[in-house]
Amino acid sequence: MAKSSADDEELRRACEAAIEGTKQQVVMSIRVAKTSGIIGIAGKLSRGAMAKPRVLAISTKAKGQRTKAFLRVLKYSNGGVLEPAKLYKLKHLSKVELVTNDPSGCTFMLGFDNLRSQSVTPPQWTMRNVDDRNRLLLCILNICKDILGRLPKVVGIDVVEMALWAKENTPAITKQQANPQDGPVTSVAEEGEMTVTVERELVSQAEEEDMEALLGTYVMGIGEAEAFSERLKRELQALEAANVHAILENEPLIDEVLHGLESATNCVEDMDEWLGIFNVKLRHMREDIESIETRNNKLEMQSVNNKALIEELDRLLERLRIPSEYAACLTDGSFEEARMPQNIEACEWLTNALHGLESPKLDPSYSNMRAVKEKRAEVDKLKTTFVRRASEFLRNYFSSLVDFMMSDKSYFSQRGQLKRPDHADLRYKCRTYARLLQHLKAREFANELRSSTKASKNPIVWFEGLTGLNQSVNNADTSAASEAYAKMLTIFIPLLVDESSFFAHFMCFEVPTLLPPEGVANGNKAGDDKDDDLCIMDIDENDNKSGQNSADIEALNESLHDLLDGIQEDFFAVVDWAGKIDPMCCISMHGITERYIPGQKADAAGFVRILLDDLESRISMQFSRFVEETCHQIERNERNVRQLGVLSFIPRFATLATRMEQYIQGQSRDLVDQAYTKFVTIMFVTLDKIAQTDLKYQDIMLLENYASFQNSLYDLANVVPTLAKFYHQASESYEQACTRHINTIIYYQFERLFQFARRIEDLMYTITPEEIPFQIGLSKADLRKVVKYSLSGQVDKSISTMYKRLQKNLASEELLPSLWDKCKKEFLEKYESFVQLINKVYPTESIPSISEMRGLLASM
C-alpha cells in the first residue's frame, strides 16, 4: 500500500511556507482532487467535470486562551509552488456528507453555514482511498469536538465504523533501550506516527466495553453490525407487542380508574361552578367596597379642603378686621402724652395692615375680592384721617412749645447773665412725638424720579442659550437709572445731613460739629463775656465735655433713628429699580455711594453713614446676585448638545467686560475685578468639561476658544490688570493645546519614524550606541525599512496629508497659518533630533538631511 500524503513531511513544510505570516500551525495536510461535476458509473467523472489537484490543510491559531481552527484549500501555481486558494473556519462547518454516487466511498462534501450563496452546490473532494478519507474526517471531527465543543452533522458515514477503524489504525509507539554508551533512553515512534490519532475517540472506552459485552451476549462478532441491528429491531417489536397485550389485559382496572376520574371530574366541575358563583359575588362586593372607599375619600378630601378653606378665610377675616380701639384711636383719639403709647400702637397696626393688603404679603388671588377692596379703601381712609389729624396737632404743638420757651426768660437768663437753655423737656417731647413724623417728600420724589426715567423694561440676558455668535446683545443705554440714583443722593444726602446737624444743634447735643471757636476750644478766655455767651456754652463744662460726648452721640443717634427711620426704604426702592433695569448700574451706583461715605465723618451724620453703608451692601448684594446668575448661565452650556467651534460665551464675555468698564466709577474697580475672576474661572472650567465630552476634538476646541478669548480681550487686557492675568493664562493653555494637537498629527503621520527614535533613546540609557544596531528590531535593515516607509519618495505627500488633517476639523480658518508654522517648526525639531540619533548610532547609514527637509517644508 502506498504511503499516505498525510505523512508527507515535505508536503507539510510546503503548506507551512504557503501560510507563513498568519501565525497558524498546520495540524494535517493531505492531497485531494476537487470536482464540481457528477460522478457516474464506476466512479468516473462525467464529461466537463475534470478533477483538479488540491491540498487540504487543517491549521490552528492560538489567540489568548482560545484556539481557532481553519480548513485551508491550497492549489499549485504555474511553478509548482503551493499557494492559498480558499480559507474556511471550522466553527461554521455544519455538515459532512458522503457522495453516494461514488461507490468507492472516497468522495465527500463539506457544508458551511456562512456561505453567501447556499444554492450553489459545494465542491466535492475525492481522496485516494478510504483510509485517507477517514484520516481527514476524523481529524476534522476531533478538532471540532476538542476546540469548538460540538460535532457537525455526519450524513452517509457510519461514525461507529470510523471509530473502530481509528482504533485499529492507532500508531503503536515502542520504546527502544539504548546501550549505556549511547546516552539516555529515548522513545522512538514508528513510521505510522503521522497518521490520525484518536486520543479522544467518538465512542468512549466505557461505551465500547458495554457494546462488546452486549455483542458477547448475542454471540456475535464486532463485524456483524447489520445482523445485530436486525435482531435488536425484532426484539423491540416483540417488547412493544408485549406492552400492548399487558395494557389490554388490565382493561377492567382501567375502566375503574376512568370511572373514578369521571366522578372526580364532575366534583371538580361542581366545585368550579360554585367557585365561579362565589367569585362573582366577591367581585360585586369588591366593587361595592371600592365605590364606598372612593366616596369616603372624596368626602374626606372635601372635609379637609373645607377645613383648610375655613382656616384661610378666618386668617383673611382676621387680617381684614379693624379693631374698634384702634379705629377709635386713629379717628378721634387724643394726642396727649399719656395717650401716645396707644397712638403709636395704633400707627404700627395701621402700617402692618397696609403692608398686609399689598403684594407679596397678600396672595394675588385675593386682590380682586370685593371684601379686600372695600377693606383696603377703609384702611386708606383711616390713614388719611390720622395723618391729617397728627400733622395738624404737631404743627400747633411745637409752635406753642417754642413760643412758651421763648417767652419764659428763665430758660436762658439768670440774674442778668445768659446761660445755655435747658432743652431736656423739649428733647423729651420730641422723642415722645418722633414716631408721628412722616417723611412723605422723600417717597414722592423717589416715585417721580423713577416714573420720569426712561429705560428698557426687558432684562438683559448675557450668556443664556446657544444663540449664534453674530447675535448682538441689547446695548441700550441704561445709564439713566444710575443717574437717577446719583440725583437722589445729590439732593437728599445734604438735606439729611443738614437736618441731622440742625437737630443736634437745636437740641444742644454735645457733638464735634458743635465745637466752639478756636480760642474757647483751646481754653483761652480771650474776649469778653459777650463772646462767650454767643457760643451758647458754659465754660465751666469744658472739662466734662469729653466724658459726655459719647453719651450724647448715642442719644443723638437714637433720636435721629426715631426721627428719620423709614426714609431708607425709598432709597432701597430706587436701588432695586435700577438693578432690575440693568445690573450694570450697580457698578456705577456702588462707585457713587463710595464717594459719599468718606465725607460723612461727623458724629451728627451717624444716620447718614448707616444709610450709605446699607445702600452699599444692598448694591453689592444685587450685583453679586447678577454675577451668580450669569455664572449659572455659563454652566448651563455644559448640558447642551455636542458643540464645536468657538463657544458662545467667549465673545459675549468680551462684550460684557467692555460694558462693565464703561460703568466703573470711583472705587468700583475691586467689585468689577471680583466679578471678572468669577466669570473667567467658571468659563474656563465649563470649557474644559465641554471639551472632555469628545476627546478626539478636545485640543481643537480648547485652542480655538482660548485663541478667541485672547483676540476678543486684547485691548481690554492692556488696561485692566485682572483681565491681563487671565489673558496670559489663556495664552499658556492655548500653547499647550496647540502642542498636543500638533504632536498628535505628527505622530499619526510619522509614527514608525519617531517610534523608532524613541526606542533608540530608551536603550541609550542602558547600553552604548555601538550596541544598539545589534538589538532586535533596531538593526540597520530595520532602519532602512523605516526610512523607506516614511521618507522615501512620498514625503511631500505625507506632509500634505498632515496639512489636510490640521485643516480638516479647524473651524477658525484664521488660526490655520500660525498652526501650520508651529507644526512645521515642531516637525523640524523632532526630525533634527532623529537625524542626530541616527548619525550617532548608525554613522554609515544615509538619510535625508535636515536642510533637505527644511527646504521641502518651506515649499509646502
Side-chain angles (χ1 to χ4, degrees), residues 260-450:
L261 289 175
E262 185 176 358
S263 300
T265 302
N266 294 332
C267 294
V268 170
E269 289 177 354
D270 295 341
M271 186 66 67
D272 182 67
E273 184 177 355
W274 279 104
L275 290 176
I277 296 172
F278 288 139
N279 187 28
V280 171
K281 293 184 177 180
L282 289 175
R283 186 173 67 252
H284 291 165
M285 293 178 64
R286 185 163 52 250
E287 291 175 356
D288 294 340
I289 293 174
E290 289 177 355
S291 176
I292 294 172
E293 288 181 351
T294 302
R295 289 197 298 269
N296 288 341
N297 292 338
K298 290 181 179 179
L299 291 174
E300 185 177 357
M301 183 177 295
Q302 184 178 0
S303 175
V304 172
N305 292 337
N306 290 337
K307 184 178 180 181
L309 178 61
I310 291 173
E311 292 177 354
E312 185 66 22
L313 291 176
D314 289 340
R315 286 194 294 270
L316 181 61
L317 290 174
E318 182 65 24
R319 186 183 300 179
L320 298 178
R321 188 179 67 87
I322 300 178
S324 57
E325 62 274 15
Y326 292 155
C329 184
L330 293 172
T331 53
D332 299 322
S334 172
F335 290 102
E336 297 178 358
E337 295 181 8
R339 296 281 301 173
M340 284 312 300
Q342 291 82 351
N343 288 331
I344 298 302
E345 185 178 356
C347 288
E348 291 177 351
W349 175 87
L350 180 61
T351 302
N352 294 332
L354 289 171
H355 290 165
L357 294 176
E358 296 176 355
S359 179
K361 291 188 176 181
L362 182 66
D363 194 310
S365 58
Y366 294 154
S367 301
N368 297 325
M369 293 180 63
R370 180 179 177 183
V372 174
K373 291 180 179 180
E374 293 177 353
K375 193 59 64 175
R376 185 184 294 116
E378 185 176 354
V379 173
D380 288 339
K381 184 177 180 180
L382 281 176
K383 181 191 71 173
T384 304
T385 303
F386 178 76
V387 169
R388 177 179 52 79
R389 292 178 59 248
S391 301
E392 183 179 357
F393 168 78
L394 289 174
R395 283 196 300 269
N396 297 334
Y397 179 80
F398 281 104
S399 297
S400 61
L401 183 62
V402 172
D403 292 342
F404 172 76
M405 292 179 63
M406 295 297 293
S407 62
D408 190 355
K409 296 182 180 181
S410 62
Y411 273 89
F412 53 87
S413 175
Q414 185 176 11
R415 294 180 182 179
Q417 293 183 351
L418 293 176
K419 67 174 184 178
R420 190 182 71 175
D422 184 9
H423 291 84
D425 185 52
L426 182 60
R427 188 179 303 170
Y428 171 76
K429 294 183 182 300
C430 285
R431 288 180 181 176
T432 302
Y433 293 100
R435 298 292 296 275
L436 296 179
L437 299 177
Q438 303 294 324
H439 295 272
L440 303 179
K441 293 298 180 183
R443 178 164 302 175
E444 293 175 0
F445 183 80
N447 293 336
E448 183 64 24
L449 203 60
R450 291 199 299 271

Side-chain angles (χ1 to χ4, degrees), residues 513-560:
T513 54
L514 301 180
L515 285 176
E518 184 178 357
V520 178
N522 293 332
N524 300 328
K525 294 188 177 182
D528 52 9
D529 293 339
K530 180 179 179 182
D531 294 333
D532 295 342
D533 293 337
L534 291 175
C535 295
I536 319 177
M537 181 174 182
D538 193 349
I539 304 302
D540 295 335
E541 295 177 355
N542 265 348
D543 296 335
N544 299 327
K545 184 185 69 172
S546 59
Q548 295 177 352
N549 273 348
S550 60
D552 283 349
I553 291 173
E554 183 178 357
L556 173 63
N557 288 334
E558 292 179 0
S559 301
L560 287 175

Side-chain angles (χ1 to χ4, degrees), residues 750-769:
F750 297 93
E751 180 179 7
R752 292 183 62 177
L753 188 71
F754 295 116
Q755 191 172 10
F756 190 85
R758 190 181 296 116
R759 292 177 61 189
I760 295 176
E761 291 175 349
D762 294 339
L763 284 176
M764 289 183 70
Y765 289 107
T766 57
I767 61 177
T768 61

Side-chain angles (χ1 to χ4, degrees), residues 23-39:
K23 299 181 181 180
Q24 296 181 11
Q25 182 180 2
V26 177
V27 178
M28 170 180 280
S29 59
I30 192 167
R31 293 186 180 91
V32 298
K34 175 184 176 183
T35 58
S36 57
I38 303 174
I39 298 178

